[in-house]
Amino acid sequence: MKLFSSVNDVQNIDSLVAEALALKQNPHAYQHLGNNKTLGLIFMNPSLRTRISTQKAALNLGMQVIVMNLDKEGWALETQDGVIMNGTTVEHIREAAGVLGQYCDIIGFRAFPGLINRNYDYSEDIFNKFVTYCKVPVISLESAIRHPLQSLADLITIKEIWDTKHPDPSHKKIPKVVLTWAPHVKPLPQAVANSFAEWMNKANVDFTITHPQGYALAPEFAGNAKISHNQHLALENADFVYVKNWSSYNDYGKILSDGKGWMMDNQKLKLTNNAGVMHCLPVRRGLELADEILDSPNSLVLNQADNRTWAAQAVLKNILSL
Amino acid sequence: MKLFSSVNDVQNIDSLVAEALALKQNPHAYQHLGNNKTLGLIFMNPSLRTRISTQKAALNLGMQVIVMNLDKEGWALETQDGVIMNGTTVEHIREAAGVLGQYCDIIGFRAFPGLINRNYDYSEDIFNKFVTYCKVPVISLESAIRHPLQSLADLITIKEIWDTKHPDPSHKKIPKVVLTWAPHVKPLPQAVANSFAEWMNKANVDFTITHPQGYALAPEFAGNAKISHNQHLALENADFVYVKNWSSYNDYGKILSDGKGWMMDNQKLKLTNNAGVMHCLPVRRGLELADEILDSPNSLVLNQADNRTWAAQAVLKNILSL
Amino acid sequence: MKLFSSVNDVQNIDSLVAEALALKQNPHAYQHLGNNKTLGLIFMNPSLRTRISTQKAALNLGMQVIVMNLDKEGWALETQDGVIMNGTTVEHIREAAGVLGQYCDIIGFRAFPGLINRNYDYSEDIFNKFVTYCKVPVISLESAIRHPLQSLADLITIKEIWDTKHPDPSHKKIPKVVLTWAPHVKPLPQAVANSFAEWMNKANVDFTITHPQGYALAPEFAGNAKISHNQHLALENADFVYVKNWSSYNDYGKILSDGKGWMMDNQKLKLTNNAGVMHCLPVRRGLELADEILDSPNSLVLNQADNRTWAAQAVLKNILSL
């Protein structure tokens, strides 16, 4: 693997999940792989889980890690070609990426969407240019429209919990996974939802998305998922419920209503098959997800966060093994 | 030791001081202890000495260190339970601490008081919740009302200097230590003073606190210390003078006057037994402490800062040896 | 070497360049040198290339690296002696440097000029005080008036390219190097230009500086360089062209005009001996330097950035070998 930007960069998602779970059992088994190798983690937007879990994964592999927060105000990058840079951008992404690629063996890069121009965001312009100009393998730490390390960690979590509940190897049932939209006070990217959808569409699960009218994901991400605007119906017999807000794709970047009635709570949990409840974090308690679920054994949010380390380590190990 | 938040977490402060001084002689003797262990240093408020000395201590022990500045504006944590998070806090401390605890073997955590609600600050709510939810050993990097790594470094410094001056092992005299309030332009927490007082009250010293009317420390910290509002009388025959500003505990968080006349200077030093003069830094020259003292051999401020490393290393070593 | 602040701290610049190029071939050959040694990188101003390349150089030498951004607002240092610190500065440089020197074996320090008081900036007051009070070897990561790691990387680049073009060891021709002023929208320090000039004046090159009227460098930096206000004449037969903006030294810190006509482009490149074109980065495309050059094989800007690592590593190796 030379690029980890979407599920399409992964040859076999089941093997990658298996590799991550093996690393979780034996975190320091491949410390020689990263010897004298440097991972650069470049953030155009703030990060907590992604930064620390990826840093930890790299350290487990014996790598050196250099973190750089280039937030939009502090070190604004120019991404358009042919412009006269007499404004507020201080460096062109051609130089910034080119330079960073010389200092690092692998780079993790994060840039969020502007949520104003849909075509621009969905072209993944900044991320793709960074990949082009840095010339070393790149891992997405969340781009304008995808968050693949999160989705891999989510799939690891589903696999881990499902296999624990069904230890019999002859067991053939597949889990019902529901992605449900949730309310939020700020317009959020579609990245986590998009990415989760494209991974679930490739995974061996029965996948449903439920959201209010107007919140349909882009068709290339929704894919063949079952779509429902009736959250109650969608949740019936779910084994896993992924709760997440996103802003509208159609009325791009907008919040269409207050979303009242869409918060996941214990009453809705009763519709499910005692589902594991997931969220990528940070979660707004009492708005997206009820406290009663987050503080219950049904909550898998800490499992997901823990698995971020093993997701990142499996990806790094693959790139280091090139 | 699973928690280092106050002097009460230490079984034997003399052994801990002895251990720190041994590490100072041989900083890299226990590098195997930290092998493949990660220390997370989480700051809700900025840090210079604490961050670098603790990072250095952990590196000396062979640990990996991950630093995270979660300042109040950038990644505001919700600490109250049961609230609807539709405001400015982006993540609940239950999740943030729970996640960080999964990535780290030990966590150092810093959070300052708001200096508005005394009961809230003195409940140590944020620090205690962090300890509860992260589920790994925690070291206080300064909390709302205590700064125990500073106090341990202070005690190490006193022990070191006193024993150098009195090398005869049969020597039984104990030092007179005076904590004196000093002026400042900003309302500061009581944390350093509180902590120093609770450590001195347990140490084998003769301990006096002097401050203007209205600046009495909380009774649980002042303990059995001698209290004087006459700085000159208090300083008489002092062997160590600890200079520090704090805002009022009674009129909570307030500056009661300009404090003129309370700056420590050479004239006051003459009242003492040629005392070593201490301050936790950063110090306001010419306001809290006169240049003439800071630039003289009586100043122990750099000794204290240096001993921050060995204080942190002794605590980390204890936790790693669990 | 105990101090690396200008070309005058280097006994033999040719040996230092040769050492850097040897390290480039064998980056990890001296990992034992840095064992249990800590490099502190202290920035009063933001950094991308300098921070990461120096961090990488230190890691290559087996050192531990601690980075601290003390930006002017966040942790304002007092530098004047004898003042009453009742204003906005939170710590005196005497204490800050003294403390940091205790935690680190070597310190890299960056501070920019204010561009208001020329005498003050050119006294290198902050940098020199930091060196005095920290008491350990210091590397300049750019000071008010010099950027020696950049200049060393520039000289390495010139040597590398020139020797590749002229592999015959009996070859005696020396390159013509031209430093040309370029337009910018913000008043920039003279540091990079000053430093490049003082290194070129000591190197075995034919050195010319060209700039509009009013932009003469300080005489101690311009030295014996040929000076021309006619950019076209100056560029004739140049082998290397260094493009860089700086604000006026005479009318201190000012931008005197929009600089139209001074941008380096392909038409001007035709005047040269197919010159390698250099810039320290970040570069304003279309303002200082034309895209057509930056995207062509004549551009050496990435080579220079890459050589920052080997420049820093050669300097660190020298200090560690004391």
Side-chain angles (χ1 to χ4, degrees):
Chain A
M1 207 188 307
K2 284 194 167 181
L3 174 67
F4 182 74
S5 68
S6 87
V7 74
N8 303 312
D9 298 318
V10 181
Q11 274 203 313
N12 185 324
I13 60 174
D14 293 328
S15 317
L16 194 59
V17 167
E19 203 159 8
L21 287 169
L23 288 164
K24 188 172 183 172
Q25 293 310 312
N26 208 349
H28 304 105
Y30 297 89
Q31 284 206 329
H32 57 285
L33 269 186
N35 193 25
N36 290 331
K37 302 280 184 187
T38 302
L39 173 69
L41 297 178
I42 314 296
F43 293 95
M44 305 298 292
N45 303 84
S47 168
L48 173 64
R49 265 156 291 275
T50 299
R51 201 263 265 180
I52 301 191
S53 62
T54 311
Q55 196 167 353
K56 171 105 177 152
L59 294 170
N60 283 346
L61 290 165
M63 300 187 80
Q64 302 163 341
V65 183
I66 293 175
V67 178
M68 191 84 205
N69 294 310
L70 287 186
D71 83 15
K72 284 169 198 153
E73 289 82 42
W75 201 282
L77 293 188
E78 180 60 56
T79 57
Q80 299 310 303
D81 284 333
V83 299
I84 296 175
M85 285 175 59
N86 58 4
T88 54
T89 55
V90 303
E91 181 153 25
H92 201 281
I93 196 167
R94 285 172 178 258
E95 275 76 50
V99 165
L100 291 165
Q102 293 184 117
Y103 299 147
C104 302
D105 298 284
I106 305 175
I107 292 183
F109 183 73
R110 163 172 288 191
F112 285 174
L115 290 182
I116 291 165
N117 180 334
R118 188 172 84 180
N119 284 347
Y120 181 71
D121 287 347
Y122 273 67
S123 73
E124 295 267 42
D125 182 61
I126 299 177
F127 185 82
N128 289 336
K129 282 181 172 155
F130 193 90
V131 171
T132 301
Y133 299 126
C134 83
K135 296 184 182 163
V136 294
V138 174
I139 297 174
S140 167
L141 304 175
E142 187 168 347
S143 67
I145 57 169
R146 286 181 175 94
H147 195 351
L149 281 178
Q150 179 65 52
S151 306
L152 174 54
D154 298 336
L155 184 56
I156 294 167
T157 307
I158 289 170
K159 166 82 174 159
E160 209 177 14
I161 299 293
W162 191 245
D163 284 3
T164 307
K165 283 193 179 167
H166 305 88
D168 177 1
S170 69
H171 157 79
K172 294 285 182 243
K173 203 184 158 235
I174 63 168
K176 176 174 176 181
V177 177
V178 179
L179 168 63
T180 178
W181 184 91
H184 205 284
V185 287
K186 284 168 58 178
L188 297 190
Q190 293 100 38
V192 169
N194 283 345
S195 231
F196 186 71
E198 75 174 359
W199 283 72
M200 287 305 117
N201 280 325
K202 283 218 175 179
N204 191 26
V205 304
D206 171 17
F207 183 47
T208 298
I209 308 174
T210 180
H211 54 73
Q213 295 276 1
Y215 283 102
L217 294 177
E220 66 266 33
F221 289 106
N224 294 321
K226 290 163 205 151
I227 308 293
S228 167
H229 297 135
N230 185 323
Q231 192 188 33
H232 286 245
L233 280 179
L235 291 173
E236 272 176 17
N237 294 312
D239 297 294
F240 296 92
V241 178
Y242 202 101
V243 180
K244 180 75 187 91
N245 171 268
W246 61 89
S247 62
S248 176
Y249 172 77
N250 281 310
D251 195 359
Y252 190 64
K254 294 289 188 304
I255 296 181
L256 305 180
S257 78
D258 65 7
K260 278 238 156 71
W262 279 81
M263 180 175 75
M264 186 70 196
D265 59 17
N266 266 351
Q267 209 174 343
K268 292 176 186 171
L269 194 63
K270 287 181 193 149
L271 303 167
T272 72
N273 185 21
N274 192 26
V277 179
M278 305 173 74
H279 189 286
C280 59
L281 303 182
V283 63
R284 297 276 185 143
R285 283 176 168 249
L287 182 64
E288 295 179 86
L289 239 165
D291 289 358
E292 62 197 12
I293 291 185
L294 282 163
D295 298 329
S296 80
N298 288 77
S299 171
L300 302 179
V301 301
L302 290 184
N303 305 57
Q304 291 169 266
D306 181 23
N307 285 330
R308 293 293 306 275
T309 303
W310 320 111
Q313 195 167 336
V315 170
L316 284 169
K317 175 171 174 282
N318 265 273
I319 296 176
L320 288 170
S321 309
L322 277 182
Chain B
M1 209 188 305
K2 284 194 168 182
L3 174 67
F4 182 75
S5 67
S6 87
V7 74
N8 303 313
D9 299 316
V10 181
Q11 275 204 313
N12 185 325
I13 60 175
D14 294 328
S15 317
L16 194 59
V17 167
E19 202 159 9
L21 288 169
L23 287 165
K24 188 173 184 172
Q25 294 310 311
N26 207 350
H28 303 106
Y30 296 90
Q31 284 206 330
H32 57 284
L33 268 187
N35 193 25
N36 290 331
K37 301 280 185 186
T38 301
L39 173 69
L41 298 178
I42 314 296
F43 293 95
M44 305 298 292
N45 302 85
S47 167
L48 173 64
R49 265 157 290 277
T50 298
R51 201 262 267 180
I52 302 191
S53 62
T54 311
Q55 198 167 352
K56 172 105 177 152
L59 293 170
N60 284 346
L61 288 165
M63 300 187 81
Q64 302 163 342
V65 183
I66 293 174
V67 178
M68 191 84 207
N69 294 310
L70 287 185
D71 82 14
K72 284 170 199 153
E73 288 83 40
W75 201 283
L77 293 189
E78 181 58 57
T79 57
Q80 298 310 304
D81 284 333
V83 299
I84 297 175
M85 285 174 60
N86 57 4
T88 54
T89 55
V90 302
E91 182 153 23
H92 200 281
I93 196 167
R94 285 173 178 257
E95 274 76 51
V99 165
L100 291 165
Q102 293 185 117
Y103 299 147
C104 302
D105 299 283
I106 304 174
I107 291 184
F109 182 73
R110 164 173 287 192
F112 285 174
L115 291 182
I116 291 166
N117 180 334
R118 187 173 85 180
N119 284 347
Y120 181 72
D121 287 347
Y122 274 67
S123 75
E124 296 266 42
D125 182 60
I126 298 177
F127 185 82
N128 289 336
K129 282 182 172 155
F130 194 90
V131 171
T132 300
Y133 298 126
C134 82
K135 296 183 182 165
V136 293
V138 174
I139 297 174
S140 166
L141 304 174
E142 186 168 348
S143 67
I145 58 169
R146 286 181 175 95
H147 195 353
L149 281 177
Q150 179 66 50
S151 306
L152 174 54
D154 296 338
L155 184 57
I156 295 167
T157 307
I158 289 171
K159 165 81 174 161
E160 209 178 13
I161 299 293
W162 191 246
D163 284 1
T164 307
K165 283 193 181 168
H166 306 86
D168 176 2
S170 68
H171 156 77
K172 294 286 182 242
K173 200 183 160 239
I174 63 169
K176 175 175 177 183
V177 177
V178 178
L179 168 63
T180 178
W181 185 91
H184 204 285
V185 286
K186 284 168 58 179
L188 297 190
Q190 293 101 38
V192 170
N194 283 345
S195 232
F196 186 72
E198 75 175 356
W199 283 72
M200 287 305 118
N201 281 325
K202 283 219 173 179
N204 192 24
V205 303
D206 171 16
F207 183 46
T208 298
I209 307 174
T210 180
H211 55 72
Q213 294 276 2
Y215 283 102
L217 294 177
E220 66 267 34
F221 289 106
N224 294 321
K226 289 163 205 151
I227 308 292
S228 168
H229 297 135
N230 185 324
Q231 193 189 31
H232 286 245
L233 281 179
L235 291 173
E236 271 177 19
N237 294 314
D239 296 295
F240 296 92
V241 178
Y242 202 99
V243 180
K244 180 75 187 89
N245 170 270
W246 60 88
S247 62
S248 176
Y249 172 76
N250 280 310
D251 195 358
Y252 190 63
K254 294 287 188 306
I255 296 180
L256 305 179
S257 76
D258 65 7
K260 278 237 158 68
W262 279 81
M263 180 175 76
M264 185 71 196
D265 59 18
N266 267 351
Q267 210 174 341
K268 293 176 186 171
L269 193 63
K270 286 181 193 150
L271 304 166
T272 72
N273 185 19
N274 191 25
V277 179
M278 306 174 72
H279 189 287
C280 59
L281 302 182
V283 63
R284 298 274 184 144
R285 283 175 168 250
L287 182 65
E288 295 179 86
L289 239 165
D291 289 359
E292 62 198 12
I293 291 185
L294 282 164
D295 298 329
S296 80
N298 288 77
S299 172
L300 301 179
V301 300
L302 291 184
N303 305 57
Q304 291 170 264
D306 181 23
N307 284 331
R308 293 293 305 274
T309 303
W310 319 113
Q313 195 167 336
V315 170
L316 285 169
K317 176 172 174 281
N318 265 274
I319 296 176
L320 287 169
S321 308
L322 278 182
Chain C
M1 208 189 306
K2 283 194 167 181
L3 174 67
F4 182 76
S5 67
S6 87
V7 74
N8 303 312
D9 298 316
V10 182
Q11 275 203 313
N12 184 324
I13 60 174
D14 294 328
S15 317
L16 193 59
V17 167
E19 203 158 7
L21 287 169
L23 288 165
K24 189 173 182 172
Q25 294 309 312
N26 208 350
H28 303 106
Y30 295 89
Q31 283 206 331
H32 57 284
L33 269 186
N35 193 25
N36 290 332
K37 301 280 185 185
T38 301
L39 173 68
L41 298 179
I42 314 296
F43 293 94
M44 304 298 292
N45 302 84
S47 167
L48 173 64
R49 265 157 291 277
T50 298
R51 201 263 267 179
I52 302 191
S53 61
T54 311
Q55 196 167 354
K56 172 106 178 151
L59 294 170
N60 283 345
L61 289 164
M63 300 187 80
Q64 301 163 342
V65 183
I66 293 175
V67 178
M68 191 83 206
N69 295 309
L70 286 185
D71 82 15
K72 285 169 197 152
E73 289 82 42
W75 201 283
L77 293 188
E78 181 59 57
T79 58
Q80 299 310 305
D81 284 332
V83 299
I84 296 175
M85 285 175 60
N86 58 3
T88 54
T89 55
V90 302
E91 182 153 26
H92 200 282
I93 196 167
R94 285 173 179 257
E95 275 76 51
V99 165
L100 291 166
Q102 293 185 118
Y103 298 148
C104 302
D105 299 283
I106 305 174
I107 291 183
F109 183 73
R110 163 172 288 190
F112 284 175
L115 291 182
I116 289 165
N117 180 334
R118 188 172 84 179
N119 284 347
Y120 181 71
D121 287 346
Y122 273 67
S123 74
E124 295 267 41
D125 182 61
I126 299 177
F127 185 82
N128 289 336
K129 282 182 172 156
F130 194 90
V131 170
T132 301
Y133 299 125
C134 83
K135 296 184 183 166
V136 294
V138 174
I139 297 174
S140 166
L141 304 175
E142 188 169 346
S143 67
I145 58 168
R146 285 180 175 95
H147 195 352
L149 281 178
Q150 179 66 51
S151 306
L152 173 55
D154 297 336
L155 183 57
I156 294 167
T157 307
I158 289 171
K159 166 81 174 160
E160 210 177 13
I161 299 292
W162 190 246
D163 284 1
T164 307
K165 282 192 179 168
H166 306 88
D168 176 3
S170 69
H171 157 79
K172 294 285 181 241
K173 202 183 159 240
I174 64 168
K176 176 175 176 182
V177 177
V178 178
L179 169 62
T180 178
W181 184 91
H184 205 285
V185 287
K186 285 169 57 178
L188 298 190
Q190 293 101 38
V192 169
N194 284 346
S195 231
F196 186 72
E198 75 174 358
W199 283 72
M200 286 305 118
N201 281 324
K202 282 219 174 179
N204 192 24
V205 303
D206 172 16
F207 183 46
T208 298
I209 307 174
T210 180
H211 55 72
Q213 295 275 4
Y215 283 101
L217 295 177
E220 65 266 33
F221 289 106
N224 295 321
K226 289 162 205 152
I227 308 293
S228 167
H229 297 136
N230 185 323
Q231 192 189 31
H232 286 245
L233 280 178
L235 291 173
E236 272 177 17
N237 293 312
D239 296 295
F240 295 92
V241 178
Y242 202 100
V243 180
K244 181 74 187 91
N245 170 269
W246 60 89
S247 62
S248 176
Y249 172 76
N250 281 309
D251 194 0
Y252 190 64
K254 293 288 188 305
I255 297 180
L256 306 179
S257 77
D258 65 7
K260 277 239 158 68
W262 278 81
M263 180 176 75
M264 185 70 195
D265 60 16
N266 266 350
Q267 211 174 341
K268 292 176 185 170
L269 194 63
K270 286 181 193 151
L271 303 166
T272 71
N273 185 20
N274 191 27
V277 179
M278 305 174 72
H279 189 286
C280 59
L281 302 180
V283 63
R284 298 274 184 144
R285 283 176 168 249
L287 182 64
E288 295 179 85
L289 238 165
D291 289 359
E292 62 197 13
I293 291 185
L294 282 163
D295 298 329
S296 81
N298 288 78
S299 171
L300 301 179
V301 301
L302 291 184
N303 305 56
Q304 291 169 265
D306 181 23
N307 285 330
R308 293 292 307 275
T309 303
W310 320 113
Q313 196 168 335
V315 170
L316 285 169
K317 175 171 174 282
N318 265 274
I319 296 176
L320 287 169
S321 308
L322 278 181

